[in-house]
Amino acid sequence: MAVTAAVGDVVEDFELLDETGTPRKLNELLENGPVVLFFYPAAMTSGCTLESCRFRDLAAEFAALKATPVGISRDAVPRQKRFADTYGLGYPLLSDPDGVVARSLGARRSYAVGPFLTRRVTFVIDVDRRILEVIHNEASMEIHADRALEVLRARAS
């Protein structure tokens, strides 16, 4: 099954716990600007660490565009906290243990690839909750942050 959410779709508001156990709503995250919602298969794994650290390393560029990266996976809150603290990520990591949000956007697989049910896919979401871009690449971890910045820069100009 392919990713089902597409450019132009409106993302429904949702609420999940972040790495500190604090409930976070999409609408609240969008109050300061666009959100780059990136799904990753599992915290503390090599590919997901590379991807997440790329978002961390580009934090100033996202901030300049008033955009917030937000990671999301099936990992429980304590594992998300360990991931955020170990790598100093500095942005919210949301826990979607039942895959409810992943399923709503088509980021959840109908079958596991190894132990992973979540696809590596990124949604650039504008303040009106419309999807500006869908980045789906399972092999190139850094492309997600880089392409999201391209889309956000185009939006700003």
Side-chain angles (χ1 to χ4, degrees):
M1 183 160 124
V3 174
T4 54
V7 172
D9 289 354
V10 174
V11 178
E12 292 299 317
D13 193 23
F14 61 81
E15 180 177 278
L16 294 171
L17 299 180
D18 71 11
E19 75 283 1
T20 68
T22 304
R24 303 292 286 263
K25 290 185 175 189
L26 177 61
N27 281 343
E28 292 167 357
L29 291 165
L30 288 165
E31 287 175 0
N32 297 320
V35 165
V36 180
L37 186 66
F38 69 99
F39 288 86
Y40 56 94
M44 307 299 290
T45 59
S46 60
C48 298
T49 298
L50 182 64
E51 179 182 21
S52 298
C53 287
R54 181 69 174 166
F55 277 100
R56 176 203 64 203
D57 295 346
L58 296 172
E61 294 178 57
F62 282 106
L65 295 163
K66 297 186 180 354
T68 304
V70 177
I72 184 169
S73 74
R74 294 183 63 219
D75 295 293
V77 168
R79 188 168 173 92
Q80 297 284 40
K81 174 102 172 94
R82 184 171 145 230
F83 191 37
D85 291 349
T86 299
Y87 295 100
L89 297 178
Y91 52 78
L93 295 181
L94 304 181
S95 177
D96 186 21
D98 298 321
V100 173
V101 176
R103 194 175 292 109
S104 75
L105 294 170
R108 183 169 168 117
R109 299 178 199 282
S110 56
Y111 60 92
V113 173
F116 307 126
L117 279 170
T118 303
R119 300 174 194 276
R120 188 178 311 282
V121 61
T122 299
F123 299 92
V124 181
I125 305 169
D126 210 341
V127 294
D128 62 358
R129 295 195 338 248
R130 289 207 180 274
I131 297 174
L132 297 174
E133 182 70 283
V134 179
I135 305 149
H136 183 220
N137 190 314
E138 300 275 355
S140 178
M141 312 321 170
E142 294 183 343
I143 197 170
H144 293 262
D146 295 348
R147 178 69 186 132
L149 279 172
E150 288 174 16
V151 169
L152 291 165
R153 286 183 184 123
R155 173 191 176 270
S157 61

